[in-house]
Amino acid sequence: SSSSDTTIDGGLLDVLIASCDEDGSGMSDVSLRDELMTLLVAGQETSAILLSWTTALLAKNLISFKKAQREADNAYSSEAQPPQSLPYVESCILEA
């Protein structure tokens, strides 16, 4: 059966482990590690750039900055449980 006939219910690691070349051979441990490192580093860099850009934009708009700050302060005022969502902050990030 080809890999396109197979449903993989796990995460990214399961998909990479199950992947195979045209000849049916799977990834070597080194190739798997290299692929995961590439994805992790690329994801970390993308997140860092996004947060930097969002911060820069908020720094230029004091009203939006204060609104985001107020939302975060209110959400984290109780140490009992972390907030489930920060809709305004999330909107700022998505708009950046």
Side-chain angles (χ1 to χ4, degrees):
S1 127
S2 73
S3 62
S4 62
D5 297 323
T6 306
T7 301
I8 300 171
D9 294 326
L12 177 62
L13 181 58
D14 292 330
V15 171
L16 290 174
I17 290 171
S19 67
C20 56
D21 292 333
E22 294 82 26
D23 65 359
S25 64
M27 269 191 199
S28 70
D29 289 348
V30 172
S31 294
L32 181 61
R33 184 206 61 211
D34 291 347
E35 189 67 29
L36 285 170
M37 289 302 294
T38 299
L39 292 169
L40 289 172
V41 170
Q44 179 273 332
E45 184 177 331
T46 302
S47 298
I49 291 168
L50 175 63
L51 290 174
S52 295
W53 187 244
T54 301
T55 303
L57 291 173
L58 284 172
K60 290 184 174 189
N61 187 324
L62 189 57
I63 294 169
S64 294
F65 174 80
K66 291 288 188 183
K67 187 173 179 179
Q69 182 180 36
R70 196 168 27 258
E71 182 180 71
D73 287 346
N74 290 337
Y76 286 99
S77 63
S78 170
E79 293 182 26
Q81 183 176 341
Q84 296 301 313
S85 68
L86 299 168
Y88 187 74
V89 172
E90 184 178 348
S91 294
C92 291
I93 292 168
L94 293 173
E95 288 292 322

